[in-house]
Amino acid sequence: ILTILGNSAVLATAMKRSSLLKSPELLTVNLAVADIGMAISMYPLAIASAWNHAWLGGDASCIYYALMGFLFGVCSMMTLCAMAVIRFLVTNSSKSNSNKITKNTVRILITFIWLYSLLWAILPLVGWGYYGPEPFGISCTIAWSKFHNSSNGFSFILSMFLLCTVLPALTIVTCYLGIAWKVHKAYQEIQNIDRIPNAAKLEKKLTLMAVLISVGFLSSWTPYAAASFWSIFNSSDSLQPIVTLLPCLFAKSSTAYNPFIYYIFSKTFRCEIKQLQCCCGWRVHFFSTDNAAENPVSMMWSG
């Protein structure tokens, strides 16, 4: 519910401001599409299977569920990676160079992200890698247990882990560390000149946003990655079902976090959300927030 409502609000806001959207904001829209796509295509089937105490639909629905999860999961990961790279380039470039990141460039990048994700999602269908049920029996994913059982499963999981997880994660962390260092150096210069009295608050806000984006994603998926690695090197029967279920649910909850981060750090998004009306005509109310004008550096982050 939180995923669908939150990301629907992001998409509605983007449609309302379509002519005013900056090129990096298209990646935010793409991330919302991936998150809401995962919720709509996967979660109802998983909920129904949970009520049934067993997977519904047999092998066909299991492959469908795993494919959708892999497709939207890789798309979200690569979108976050692209957002981090673009923000890093904008932060460390002059204004003239940052304007070279046009909407067409970002659209091409988004197309590449979806094609890349689709390629990895269909590889198990054409014989490289496998899809299979989770140990707790009401969800499906990549067959981690095939890591040792066949060279096919070994090569697929190793390649997927490096190209879809490790490299994007390292890129995200490196870019945000670079941004934090750049902001820190800029703050030191501003502090020496003593031009902006609220520079300390701005640094705290920007640093907190970087931490929330990075830690929010990593903390959601780290428990699931740990459980998956355990099942790679050990029998899945060695873990209790609840131990494999909770990390899976926690990882799926990552689709609900981003709209709250946008709401906290983007004044534009807050104002648009307050103006949105439900289909029944009721106005959506949120907690009051500071309406002070945003600093241009803060706008760069939220954009």
Side-chain angles (χ1 to χ4, degrees):
I1 292 174
L2 291 177
T3 297
I4 292 176
L5 291 180
N7 288 285
S8 295
V10 174
L11 295 179
T13 301
M15 290 180 62
K16 186 178 179 181
R17 299 180 59 250
S18 57
S19 60
L20 302 176
L21 287 178
K22 300 179 178 65
S23 52
E25 289 180 300
L26 296 177
L27 289 170
T28 301
V29 175
N30 190 60
L31 185 61
V33 171
D35 288 343
I36 201 172
M38 180 178 289
I40 293 175
S41 64
M42 297 173 57
Y43 297 172
L45 184 57
I47 293 171
S49 298
W51 281 104
N52 188 54
H53 298 281
W55 182 253
L56 294 174
D59 293 339
S61 64
C62 183
I63 293 175
Y64 159 80
Y65 185 94
L67 186 146
M68 290 294 104
F70 199 18
L71 171 64
F72 291 120
V74 174
C75 182
S76 297
M77 182 66 160
M78 300 309 297
T79 301
L80 288 171
C81 181
M83 291 171 65
V85 172
I86 288 181
R87 284 173 178 163
F88 177 81
L89 293 176
V90 171
T91 304
N92 290 273
S93 300
S94 61
K95 184 177 181 181
S96 59
N97 291 331
S98 65
N99 290 334
K100 294 181 180 180
I101 305 177
T102 63
K103 286 188 177 181
N104 287 333
T105 302
V106 177
R107 290 190 184 103
I108 294 173
L109 179 59
I110 291 174
T111 302
F112 172 78
I113 288 173
W114 280 103
L115 292 176
Y116 183 82
S117 305
L118 182 62
L119 172 65
W120 278 102
I122 64 176
L123 284 176
L125 301 181
V126 297
W128 192 33
Y130 308 93
Y131 287 135
E134 298 268 19
F136 50 86
I138 57 171
S139 179
C140 294
T141 186
I142 298 168
W144 302 102
S145 60
K146 299 290 186 179
F147 184 81
H148 284 304
N149 296 347
S150 68
S151 58
N152 190 340
F154 173 84
S155 60
F156 174 76
I157 292 175
L158 184 61
S159 302
M160 180 275 299
F161 177 70
L162 291 175
L163 298 178
C164 298
T165 305
V166 174
L167 289 180
L170 289 177
T171 302
I172 291 171
V173 173
T174 302
C175 288
Y176 283 130
L177 287 177
I179 291 172
W181 176 252
K182 181 72 174 182
V183 172
H184 175 70
K185 297 296 290 184
Y187 164 67
Q188 285 186 329
E189 295 176 1
I190 293 173
Q191 189 179 41
N192 293 335
I193 301 175
D194 197 23
R195 288 183 178 177
I196 303 178
N198 64 340
K201 293 182 180 180
L202 176 61
E203 181 187 11
K204 181 179 179 180
K205 179 179 180 180
L206 298 180
T207 304
L208 180 60
M209 182 175 179
V211 169
L212 284 175
I213 293 174
S214 303
V215 174
F217 178 81
L218 294 177
S219 62
S220 297
W221 284 95
T222 297
Y224 181 76
S228 300
F229 266 87
W230 179 269
S231 58
I232 286 176
F233 298 104
N234 301 274
S235 172
S236 58
D237 297 334
S238 60
L239 293 176
Q240 294 294 326
I242 191 67
V243 177
T244 58
L245 171 63
L246 291 180
C248 183
L249 295 178
F250 193 42
K252 288 181 171 63
S253 71
S254 64
T255 58
Y257 299 157
N258 295 322
F260 293 98
I261 297 177
Y262 305 149
Y263 186 79
I264 293 172
F265 289 97
S266 174
K267 179 185 177 183
T268 301
F269 184 63
R270 288 197 302 268
C271 294
E272 293 292 341
I273 287 296
K274 291 176 181 178
Q275 295 176 6
L276 287 177
Q277 291 184 343
C278 297
C279 58
C280 59
W282 294 347
R283 183 170 295 277
V284 181
H285 295 282
F286 288 87
F287 293 108
S288 60
T289 53
D290 185 13
N291 291 323
E294 279 190 339
N295 187 283
V297 182
S298 177
M299 292 180 64
M300 174 189 70
W301 275 86
S302 61

